[in-house]
Amino acid sequence: MAEAQFDIRYIAHLARISLSPEEEKKLSAQLGNILGYIEKLKELDVSKVEPTAHAVPMNNVMRADEVRESLSNEDALRNAPAKANGLFMVPKIVE
C-alpha cells in the first residue's frame, strides 16, 4: 500500500494538484482497480486482431467536394461594420 501511496502522490505532483489524505486513499484504490483491469486485459490473445484507431467502422462523414454557388461579395459584406473596396475593414493590430 505504501508504494501505491507514493505513486498517487507522484501522479498528483505531476498533475500539479493537491490531494487530501482521504482523496489520496480513494484515488489510490481507484488507480489500483484500473491497473488490475489492465493486467486482466493483458491476458487476452490479440495476436489476430488488427490494430484500429476506432472501435467502429468510420465512413467519410463530410459532404462531397463539389463546385456550387457561394455568397456574393455583396451578401458577404452586408452586415460588416466597416468595408472598403469589397473587403472587410478591421482594426490594425500590428504596428
Side-chain angles (χ1 to χ4, degrees), residues 4-72:
Q5 290 290 347
F6 171 76
D7 288 343
I8 203 68
R9 287 186 185 128
Y10 179 68
I11 292 167
H13 173 73
L14 290 175
R16 292 178 174 27
I17 58 174
S18 59
L19 299 174
S20 68
E22 296 81 25
E23 290 171 324
E24 284 181 9
K25 186 176 179 181
K26 180 180 177 182
L27 291 175
S28 179
Q30 290 175 347
L31 182 59
N33 290 338
I34 292 168
L35 294 176
Y37 185 69
I38 290 171
E39 288 301 317
K40 188 171 184 172
L41 289 175
K42 286 182 181 179
E43 296 172 8
L44 293 174
D45 178 22
V46 293
S47 60
K48 296 179 182 163
V49 178
E50 196 167 325
T52 181
H54 301 282
V56 295
M58 297 288 294
N59 296 324
N60 189 353
V61 294
M62 296 186 287
R63 67 173 172 79
D65 190 12
E66 302 169 341
V67 176
R68 59 186 203 180
E69 192 174 325
S70 62
L71 286 175
S72 69

Side-chain angles (χ1 to χ4, degrees), residues 73 77 80-90:
N73 191 273
L77 293 171
K83 54 190 169 190
N85 300 324
L87 302 172
F88 290 97
M89 296 285 295
V90 296

